[in-house]
mmCIF file of all heavy atoms in Angstrom:
data_model
loop_
_atom_site.group_PDB
_atom_site.id
_atom_site.type_symbol
_atom_site.label_atom_id
_atom_site.label_comp_id
_atom_site.label_asym_id
_atom_site.label_seq_id
_atom_site.Cartn_x
_atom_site.Cartn_y
_atom_site.Cartn_z
ATOM 1 N N VAL F 294 -3.097 29.451 -3.864
ATOM 2 C CA VAL F 294 -3.108 29.591 -2.401
ATOM 3 C C VAL F 294 -2.799 31.040 -2.023
ATOM 4 O O VAL F 294 -1.817 31.622 -2.490
ATOM 5 C CB VAL F 294 -2.081 28.624 -1.768
ATOM 6 C CG1 VAL F 294 -1.979 28.867 -0.259
ATOM 7 C CG2 VAL F 294 -2.479 27.183 -2.052
ATOM 8 N N GLN F 295 -3.641 31.598 -1.151
ATOM 9 C CA GLN F 295 -3.482 33.001 -0.760
ATOM 10 C C GLN F 295 -3.182 33.170 0.720
ATOM 11 O O GLN F 295 -2.747 34.238 1.146
ATOM 12 C CB GLN F 295 -4.748 33.790 -1.126
ATOM 13 C CG GLN F 295 -5.030 33.823 -2.620
ATOM 14 C CD GLN F 295 -6.267 34.622 -2.970
ATOM 15 O OE1 GLN F 295 -7.047 34.998 -2.096
ATOM 16 N NE2 GLN F 295 -6.464 34.891 -4.255
ATOM 17 N N SER F 296 -3.462 32.140 1.523
ATOM 18 C CA SER F 296 -3.185 32.237 2.960
ATOM 19 C C SER F 296 -2.840 30.848 3.488
ATOM 20 O O SER F 296 -3.134 29.833 2.844
ATOM 21 C CB SER F 296 -4.395 32.804 3.713
ATOM 22 O OG SER F 296 -5.510 31.923 3.595
ATOM 23 N N LEU F 297 -2.212 30.822 4.643
ATOM 24 C CA LEU F 297 -1.817 29.550 5.253
ATOM 25 C C LEU F 297 -2.387 29.440 6.661
ATOM 26 O O LEU F 297 -2.451 30.452 7.380
ATOM 27 C CB LEU F 297 -0.289 29.444 5.305
ATOM 28 C CG LEU F 297 0.439 29.430 3.964
ATOM 29 C CD1 LEU F 297 1.950 29.373 4.176
ATOM 30 C CD2 LEU F 297 -0.019 28.276 3.096
ATOM 31 N N PRO F 298 -2.800 28.235 7.057
ATOM 32 C CA PRO F 298 -2.838 27.033 6.228
ATOM 33 C C PRO F 298 -4.029 27.046 5.263
ATOM 34 O O PRO F 298 -5.054 27.663 5.540
ATOM 35 C CB PRO F 298 -2.999 25.912 7.252
ATOM 36 C CG PRO F 298 -3.761 26.554 8.371
ATOM 37 C CD PRO F 298 -3.257 27.976 8.437
ATOM 38 N N THR F 299 -3.864 26.370 4.136
ATOM 39 C CA THR F 299 -4.960 26.133 3.198
ATOM 40 C C THR F 299 -5.042 24.636 2.942
ATOM 41 O O THR F 299 -4.005 23.986 2.754
ATOM 42 C CB THR F 299 -4.748 26.884 1.870
ATOM 43 O OG1 THR F 299 -4.937 28.277 2.092
ATOM 44 C CG2 THR F 299 -5.745 26.420 0.823
ATOM 45 N N VAL F 300 -6.246 24.115 2.930
ATOM 46 C CA VAL F 300 -6.467 22.684 2.675
ATOM 47 C C VAL F 300 -7.432 22.558 1.503
ATOM 48 O O VAL F 300 -8.476 23.210 1.481
ATOM 49 C CB VAL F 300 -7.045 21.968 3.921
ATOM 50 C CG1 VAL F 300 -7.437 20.525 3.590
ATOM 51 C CG2 VAL F 300 -6.021 21.989 5.045
ATOM 52 N N MET F 301 -7.064 21.734 0.519
ATOM 53 C CA MET F 301 -7.931 21.451 -0.625
ATOM 54 C C MET F 301 -8.180 19.949 -0.698
ATOM 55 O O MET F 301 -7.231 19.156 -0.588
ATOM 56 C CB MET F 301 -7.286 21.920 -1.938
ATOM 57 C CG MET F 301 -7.097 23.406 -2.049
ATOM 58 S SD MET F 301 -6.402 23.864 -3.662
ATOM 59 C CE MET F 301 -6.159 25.627 -3.419
ATOM 60 N N LEU F 302 -9.437 19.574 -0.878
ATOM 61 C CA LEU F 302 -9.806 18.176 -1.045
ATOM 62 C C LEU F 302 -9.973 17.901 -2.529
ATOM 63 O O LEU F 302 -10.819 18.531 -3.185
ATOM 64 C CB LEU F 302 -11.094 17.860 -0.287
ATOM 65 C CG LEU F 302 -11.155 18.289 1.192
ATOM 66 C CD1 LEU F 302 -12.449 17.804 1.831
ATOM 67 C CD2 LEU F 302 -9.953 17.786 1.954
ATOM 68 N N ILE F 303 -9.185 16.979 -3.068
ATOM 69 C CA ILE F 303 -9.160 16.694 -4.503
ATOM 70 C C ILE F 303 -9.664 15.279 -4.746
ATOM 71 O O ILE F 303 -9.160 14.317 -4.154
ATOM 72 C CB ILE F 303 -7.742 16.837 -5.088
ATOM 73 C CG1 ILE F 303 -7.121 18.175 -4.697
ATOM 74 C CG2 ILE F 303 -7.762 16.654 -6.598
ATOM 75 C CD1 ILE F 303 -7.771 19.380 -5.293
ATOM 76 N N LYS F 304 -10.647 15.137 -5.620
ATOM 77 C CA LYS F 304 -11.164 13.822 -6.017
ATOM 78 C C LYS F 304 -11.310 13.803 -7.529
ATOM 79 O O LYS F 304 -11.851 14.740 -8.115
ATOM 80 C CB LYS F 304 -12.525 13.538 -5.350
ATOM 81 C CG LYS F 304 -12.996 12.099 -5.568
ATOM 82 C CD LYS F 304 -12.226 11.153 -4.669
ATOM 83 C CE LYS F 304 -12.676 9.697 -4.856
ATOM 84 N NZ LYS F 304 -12.200 9.061 -6.082
ATOM 85 N N ASP F 305 -10.815 12.725 -8.143
ATOM 86 C CA ASP F 305 -10.865 12.577 -9.604
ATOM 87 C C ASP F 305 -10.249 13.783 -10.307
ATOM 88 O O ASP F 305 -10.745 14.255 -11.342
ATOM 89 C CB ASP F 305 -12.308 12.372 -10.078
ATOM 90 C CG ASP F 305 -12.915 11.082 -9.518
ATOM 91 O OD1 ASP F 305 -12.145 10.109 -9.353
ATOM 92 O OD2 ASP F 305 -14.116 11.056 -9.251
ATOM 93 N N GLY F 306 -9.167 14.302 -9.703
ATOM 94 C CA GLY F 306 -8.431 15.395 -10.319
ATOM 95 C C GLY F 306 -9.036 16.765 -10.140
ATOM 96 O O GLY F 306 -8.497 17.755 -10.652
ATOM 97 N N ARG F 307 -10.153 16.856 -9.396
ATOM 98 C CA ARG F 307 -10.843 18.136 -9.236
ATOM 99 C C ARG F 307 -11.056 18.466 -7.753
ATOM 100 O O ARG F 307 -11.317 17.570 -6.955
ATOM 101 C CB ARG F 307 -12.202 18.104 -9.930
ATOM 102 C CG ARG F 307 -12.119 17.898 -11.432
ATOM 103 C CD ARG F 307 -13.497 17.897 -12.044
ATOM 104 N NE ARG F 307 -13.451 17.739 -13.500
ATOM 105 C CZ ARG F 307 -14.508 17.760 -14.292
ATOM 106 N NH1 ARG F 307 -15.716 17.955 -13.762
ATOM 107 N NH2 ARG F 307 -14.379 17.609 -15.592
ATOM 108 N N PRO F 308 -10.988 19.752 -7.390
ATOM 109 C CA PRO F 308 -11.288 20.124 -6.000
ATOM 110 C C PRO F 308 -12.773 19.933 -5.695
ATOM 111 O O PRO F 308 -13.627 20.339 -6.493
ATOM 112 C CB PRO F 308 -10.895 21.600 -5.927
ATOM 113 C CG PRO F 308 -10.897 22.080 -7.337
ATOM 114 C CD PRO F 308 -10.570 20.909 -8.213
ATOM 115 N N VAL F 309 -13.068 19.307 -4.570
ATOM 116 C CA VAL F 309 -14.460 19.094 -4.168
ATOM 117 C C VAL F 309 -14.809 19.833 -2.876
ATOM 118 O O VAL F 309 -15.987 19.995 -2.553
ATOM 119 C CB VAL F 309 -14.757 17.579 -3.991
ATOM 120 C CG1 VAL F 309 -14.692 16.862 -5.332
ATOM 121 C CG2 VAL F 309 -13.800 16.931 -2.991
ATOM 122 N N ASP F 310 -13.797 20.291 -2.164
ATOM 123 C CA ASP F 310 -14.044 21.032 -0.922
ATOM 124 C C ASP F 310 -12.708 21.589 -0.460
ATOM 125 O O ASP F 310 -11.657 21.310 -1.051
ATOM 126 C CB ASP F 310 -14.652 20.096 0.144
ATOM 127 C CG ASP F 310 -15.351 20.872 1.269
ATOM 128 O OD1 ASP F 310 -15.285 22.115 1.262
ATOM 129 O OD2 ASP F 310 -15.937 20.228 2.154
ATOM 130 N N GLY F 311 -12.743 22.348 0.616
ATOM 131 C CA GLY F 311 -11.514 22.892 1.162
ATOM 132 C C GLY F 311 -11.805 23.949 2.206
ATOM 133 O O GLY F 311 -12.960 24.326 2.422
ATOM 134 N N PHE F 312 -10.737 24.407 2.843
ATOM 135 C CA PHE F 312 -10.898 25.465 3.848
ATOM 136 C C PHE F 312 -9.555 26.142 4.077
ATOM 137 O O PHE F 312 -8.487 25.585 3.798
ATOM 138 C CB PHE F 312 -11.464 24.915 5.165
ATOM 139 C CG PHE F 312 -10.609 23.865 5.823
ATOM 140 C CD1 PHE F 312 -9.652 24.197 6.777
ATOM 141 C CD2 PHE F 312 -10.771 22.518 5.501
ATOM 142 C CE1 PHE F 312 -8.876 23.230 7.387
ATOM 143 C CE2 PHE F 312 -10.003 21.538 6.115
ATOM 144 C CZ PHE F 312 -9.047 21.889 7.063
ATOM 145 N N ALA F 313 -9.623 27.354 4.577
ATOM 146 C CA ALA F 313 -8.431 28.101 4.964
ATOM 147 C C ALA F 313 -8.460 28.293 6.476
ATOM 148 O O ALA F 313 -9.527 28.448 7.068
ATOM 149 C CB ALA F 313 -8.384 29.445 4.244
ATOM 150 N N GLY F 314 -7.274 28.254 7.097
ATOM 151 C CA GLY F 314 -7.213 28.343 8.545
ATOM 152 C C GLY F 314 -7.289 26.962 9.172
ATOM 153 O O GLY F 314 -7.276 25.938 8.471
ATOM 154 N N ALA F 315 -7.385 26.933 10.477
ATOM 155 C CA ALA F 315 -7.425 25.655 11.193
ATOM 156 C C ALA F 315 -8.867 25.271 11.509
ATOM 157 O O ALA F 315 -9.702 26.133 11.775
ATOM 158 C CB ALA F 315 -6.622 25.759 12.487
ATOM 159 N N GLU F 316 -9.161 23.971 11.435
ATOM 160 C CA GLU F 316 -10.456 23.438 11.851
ATOM 161 C C GLU F 316 -10.227 22.320 12.860
ATOM 162 O O GLU F 316 -9.147 21.726 12.918
ATOM 163 C CB GLU F 316 -11.242 22.899 10.646
ATOM 164 C CG GLU F 316 -11.758 23.988 9.728
ATOM 165 C CD GLU F 316 -12.829 23.488 8.761
ATOM 166 O OE1 GLU F 316 -13.054 22.258 8.690
ATOM 167 O OE2 GLU F 316 -13.448 24.337 8.086
#
Side-chain angles (χ1 to χ4, degrees):
V294 174
Q295 297 181 349
S296 63
L297 297 178
T299 289
V300 173
M301 295 183 185
L302 309 185
I303 309 293
K304 189 76 180 75
D305 297 326
R307 297 181 178 183
V309 293
D310 199 355
F312 60 92
E316 289 195 351

